[in-house]
Amino acid sequence: MNQRALIIDDEPDILELLELTLNRMNITTRCATSLAQAKSLLESESFNLCLTDMRLPDGNGVDLVDLIQKDYPKLPVAMITAHGNMDTAIQAMKAGAFDFISKPVDLAALRKLVATAIESNHLPEPEDSAGLPRIVGSSPAIRRLCHSIVKLARSQAPIYISGESGSGKELAARSIHELGPRANKEFVPVNCGAIPRELMESEFFGHKKGAFTGANQDKQGLFQAAEGGTLFLDEVADLPLAMQVKLLRAIQEKAVRPVGAGAEIKTDVRILCATHKNLEQEVAEGSFRQDLFYRLNVIQLAVPPLRERVSDIPQLAQKILEKLAQDMELPCPRLTSEARDALATYSFPGNVRELENILERAFTLCEGDTINVEDLHLSAPAPNAIADGTVDHAARFAEHDSLDDYLQEVEKEVICDMLEKKRWNKTLTAKELGVTFRSLRYRLRKLGLDDNQSNE
């Protein structure tokens, strides 16, 4: 099938360069030097791609992006911007531009952009945008999420995925990748909070042999590992400020410099990021750079907490139990109606991840093939909570035989909550609690929690 591209620029040299490059890619081109001429061509002909300069004699490229989004929503449009003018590029992508390229135009980067844009133009529509393979549920909140994912998958704009811990932010990121033009390349997830500070630059950008003590060979960084694909920065708010500066440059320049290297390496990755923290608040408090937030938050996607999609719980529970049964090679148990009701009224502070943990425990503890309310071990709201939300310790202590018993229960609650927040990573949990790793292991054994299944 013959591909066709519309190129808009009032500089003859740029126009000729773009036309020549695309013709060599077997793409037929039509050229325009103004907004009016471009509109006329769009009305009379069909295209698979549009490349437009930001500044035109009778308007600007963002006006054209708005027009195309309204009248030709499936046509990918890429913006050509002046070098270093990131504000313009971000403005264009917020308006709906597919991607951008800076002047002077790097031909290798241009060819990659064009190939990705053409691919996105021919992506098949999901049979039902209300439900995606990785995302279970049909509640209004999930239908809106799935609709947004399908739309955002075609773009190359950075996306900031917000949502509470355990709500499914990585699933949303993977869905965006798998539905987009980069699906046949790597999806590389990284937990920014789990990388030691002294190793961050090497992990992200790679290093050359001999760059530092212990660098016995060249190492590929995360950006290179995700080349052509998607790099998902989970818990991005945990990045130290020094690393935020280097990450910002890598994203803006679309290039990285491995530790010990003499030159930068061009990269082609789509950046998705997520955190359970409030990034706007982190910026206001000075712990997250405003310029990096502005660069990452081109488009924001909010993943709803489980309490806002209660109608999805039965379907989610069934899917989780089926997977557990398959993994354990056992019959799939069923939830009693009382158990289903209990799940429906539970607040799930840990969201879908907590539901998975509850059902895995219930699957192990239940008798036969039926899960009762008692098997769920749901933590009920404390009956002795004071009106302002604090705990009446005197009332809780009265329910125990001794102070030691009560303190052990509190210790267990605190450790379990922190393990849950840190995805059962003991090293991170110990750091957050301000104890040594050995101390945490001792406490876990003492409390009967050391099942040797969590990450270290």
Side-chain angles (χ1 to χ4, degrees), residues 55 74 94 123 164 172 209 213 261 269 285 409:
R55 295 185 178 182
K74 292 187 179 180
K94 283 184 180 290
L123 288 172
E164 296 177 6
K209 181 180 179 180
T213 304
V269 299
E285 294 174 354
E409 180 182 305

Side-chain angles (χ1 to χ4, degrees), residues 272-401:
L272 306 179
C273 73
T275 179
H276 71 279
K277 296 180 180 179
N278 185 323
L279 264 191
E280 291 92 336
Q281 184 178 337
E282 296 289 312
V283 170
E285 294 174 354
S287 58
F288 199 84
R289 291 182 62 95
Q290 186 172 22
D291 47 6
L292 179 57
F293 173 68
Y294 182 60
R295 186 66 186 87
L296 293 173
N297 189 34
V298 174
I299 299 172
Q300 186 169 151
L301 179 69
V303 178
L306 190 53
R307 63 180 173 278
E308 291 181 8
R309 41 181 297 218
V310 175
S311 61
D312 292 331
I313 291 176
Q315 190 177 351
L316 275 166
Q318 184 61 31
K319 194 83 172 179
I320 293 167
L321 289 173
E322 287 174 358
K323 185 178 185 307
L324 287 169
Q326 182 179 0
D327 292 345
M328 297 183 187
E329 298 182 349
L330 293 170
C332 183
R334 67 174 187 87
L335 289 164
T336 64
S337 58
E338 292 80 10
R340 285 196 300 270
D341 291 344
L343 290 174
T345 57
Y346 183 61
S347 62
F348 285 104
N351 293 292
V352 179
R353 190 182 301 122
E354 184 179 8
L355 175 61
E356 292 172 342
N357 291 341
I358 287 170
L359 291 176
E360 183 173 5
R361 182 173 59 212
F363 189 105
T364 305
L365 297 176
C366 72
E367 296 290 338
D369 60 354
T370 302
I371 294 177
N372 297 297
V373 177
E374 297 77 18
D375 300 320
L376 298 174
H377 290 275
L378 298 179
S379 52
N384 41 26
I386 303 175
D388 65 0
T390 59
V391 175
D392 186 343
H393 288 287
R396 286 190 63 183
F397 169 67
E399 300 172 1
H400 296 76
D401 294 333

Side-chain angles (χ1 to χ4, degrees), residues 6 38-45 47 64 67-68 72 75:
L6 173 61
K39 289 179 181 178
S40 177
L41 286 170
L42 284 168
E43 290 171 0
S44 60
E45 302 180 31
F47 298 96
L64 185 63
L67 172 73
I68 288 175
Y72 314 95
L75 175 61

